[in-house]
Amino acid sequence: MPEAPSFTLPEMGTEKQISLADYTGKAVLITFWVSWCPDSQRDLPAKEHLNRAMQTDDLAMIMINVTGREAAPDAGEKFYKEQGFTFLSLKDNGTNIYDLYQCMSVPTTYLLNADHEIAARFNDKASFQEILQAAGKVLSQ
């Protein structure tokens, strides 16, 4: 499995720098999103529910707002606050990390195993159930 590209980005609301390396030894679910996209608007509440319901520290969730695809620089952060999301969301530097991960649409979700190898990739048409099933397989390895 290919290794996931590393990154360090500012956290929404705090500007604290968060790196993929901060989650060494943990499986990670990364989702790239934008506020105006209907598929992102459907996907993010499901991810929020998962984030609140998770009973494990073995899976980290990192949402990345693709600021370079937003209508305004602060649109993603405004949407995040309005929706009351509690999951960790970072701000891409334009589309740098989105491009590094070779995304073609939003939302795009990557599932990384504990070694940060890409175990699965899901495009905007993937069902939440597909993502949960894959996460279960990665966590049971």
Side-chain angles (χ1 to χ4, degrees):
M1 286 186 274
E3 190 170 330
S6 63
F7 57 82
T8 300
L9 291 169
E11 180 180 8
M12 271 190 179
T14 70
E15 299 302 313
K16 177 182 172 193
Q17 296 293 307
I18 306 284
S19 297
L20 180 57
D22 295 341
Y23 299 93
T24 299
K26 286 187 179 194
V28 182
L29 188 74
I30 300 171
T31 298
F32 293 89
W33 64 277
V34 293
S35 62
W36 53 263
C37 170
D39 291 326
S40 287
Q41 291 169 6
R42 274 193 300 278
D43 183 65
L44 294 176
K47 299 276 174 59
E48 174 68 16
H49 185 72
L50 175 62
N51 186 52
R52 290 179 187 231
M54 273 196 313
Q55 299 293 314
T56 180
D57 289 333
D58 297 333
L59 178 67
M61 289 178 62
I62 302 173
M63 307 294 137
I64 299 177
N65 177 235
V66 187
T67 59
R69 293 197 59 194
E70 289 286 5
D74 63 343
E77 194 158 351
K78 186 175 172 208
F79 179 76
Y80 176 85
K81 287 178 183 167
E82 284 171 356
Q83 298 299 312
F85 292 136
T86 61
F87 51 67
L88 174 66
S89 192
L90 308 181
K91 296 186 290 189
D92 197 350
N93 181 12
T95 61
N96 288 2
I97 307 306
Y98 177 83
D99 293 341
L100 193 60
Y101 275 75
Q102 300 177 346
C103 299
M104 298 304 212
S105 60
V106 286
T108 296
T109 297
Y110 281 88
L111 181 62
L112 313 183
N113 64 19
D115 297 323
H116 291 180
E117 296 166 328
I118 297 171
R121 173 187 169 149
F122 303 93
N123 67 17
D124 57 334
K125 301 304 176 209
S127 77
F128 189 63
Q129 288 306 114
E130 290 174 80
I131 296 170
L132 282 181
Q133 287 171 343
K137 286 179 188 167
V138 164
L139 290 173
S140 67
Q141 291 174 348

